[in-house]
């Protein structure tokens, strides 16, 4: 997490502040530095550090503590977002790529999200709240090919299956429910329908090719 309002720097910035090359910094100073200055994103491949802490270390002064508590403008990593939403970091990245979740911001190559938008997503996931449904006396309309025909969640389920990599359907359904609302059971039905439609589309495509 990058605390709100705190500039972050990477190792290249630190080497420049120290007046040495990056390779020299890593070889002669990196190990001792990491003992005294914490990585802001320990679950990320990119190491980022608080600039004020870095400057204190380089000046030979005591490294100040980071602010305590949480703020709505803190920037969270994918792992921290996943913890808040109750899903996996991989799912956070997959839905960001597919457009089902905010793109966040990029800081030194790391994609981050404000605590504010993550909490809003958790508390106001699409599909939650009172739903409509057909009012009594309204015409039923044409019969659907299946229960979820025209439901935008079906496309979400289809993409989730493609990104799941063989993960258990129950776990995928639980993650979708946490991210988009509705119940895990509903998402299991959507995933089943998406899989069946995928199989049917593939079968019909093969039949059309054979007839051509």
């Amino acid at each position: 997490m990058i605390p709100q309002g705190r500039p972050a720097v990477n190792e290249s910035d630190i080497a420049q502040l120290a007046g040495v090359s990056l390779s020299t910094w890593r070889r002669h100073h990196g190990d001792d530095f990491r003992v005294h200055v914490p990585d802001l994103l320990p679950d990320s491949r990119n190491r980022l550090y608080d600039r004020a802490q870095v400057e204190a270390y380089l000046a030979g002064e005591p490294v100040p503590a980071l602010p305590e508590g949480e703020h709505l403008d803190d920037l969270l990593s994918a792992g921290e977002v996943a913890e808040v939403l109750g899903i996996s970091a991989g799912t956070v990245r997959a839905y960001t790529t597919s457009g089902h979740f905010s793109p966040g911001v990029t800081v030194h190559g790391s994609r981050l999200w404000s605590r504010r938008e993550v909490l809003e997503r958790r508390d106001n996931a699409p599909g939650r709240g009172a739903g409509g449904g057909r009012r009594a006396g309204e015409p039923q309309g044409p019969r659907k090919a299946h229960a979820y025909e025209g439901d935008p969640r079906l496309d979400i389920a289809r993409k989730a299956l493609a990104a799941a990599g063989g993960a258990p359907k129950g776990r995928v359904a639980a993650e979708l429910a946490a991210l988009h609302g509705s119940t895990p059971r509903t998402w299991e039905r959507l995933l089943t329908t998406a899989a069946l439609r995928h199989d049917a589309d593939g079968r019909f495509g093969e039949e059309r090719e054979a007839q051509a």
Side-chain angles (χ1 to χ4, degrees), residues 20-188:
V20 298
S21 68
L22 179 57
S23 60
T24 297
W25 169 259
R26 288 174 172 168
R27 186 166 57 250
H28 296 292
H29 308 286
D31 290 342
D32 182 73
F33 171 81
R34 286 188 287 273
V35 169
H36 294 88
V37 182
D39 185 350
L40 296 175
L41 306 176
D43 62 338
S44 173
R45 288 174 296 185
N46 296 326
R47 290 171 174 167
L48 294 183
Y49 302 92
D50 182 79
R51 185 181 180 105
Q53 290 188 323
V54 169
E55 291 177 341
Y57 173 88
L58 294 177
E61 300 172 355
V63 175
L66 292 171
E68 296 183 358
E70 299 178 349
H71 192 281
L72 290 176
D73 291 329
D74 293 338
L75 294 177
L76 310 184
S77 67
E80 291 165 329
V81 171
E83 186 174 350
V84 173
L85 297 180
I87 58 179
S88 70
T91 298
V92 172
R93 297 186 186 98
Y95 285 124
T96 298
T97 300
S98 64
H100 296 307
F101 190 53
S102 161
V105 297
T106 301
V107 179
H108 291 297
S110 292
R111 192 187 296 271
L112 306 169
W113 295 263
S114 72
R115 189 183 303 277
R116 184 190 309 275
E117 65 180 327
V118 175
L119 293 177
E120 287 178 354
R121 182 56 180 258
R122 183 197 66 185
D123 298 335
N124 301 285
R128 286 191 178 155
R134 184 168 58 91
R135 295 187 180 91
E138 286 185 340
Q140 187 170 2
R143 183 180 296 276
K144 296 182 177 181
H146 53 84
Y148 295 106
E149 182 181 1
D151 191 324
R153 294 175 299 179
L154 193 60
D155 186 54
I156 296 174
R158 186 179 298 110
K159 291 178 179 178
L161 283 175
K169 183 170 68 175
R171 190 178 78 188
V172 178
E175 292 180 346
L176 288 170
L179 194 58
H180 298 286
S182 300
T183 65
R185 180 58 183 153
T186 296
W187 281 106
E188 284 193 31

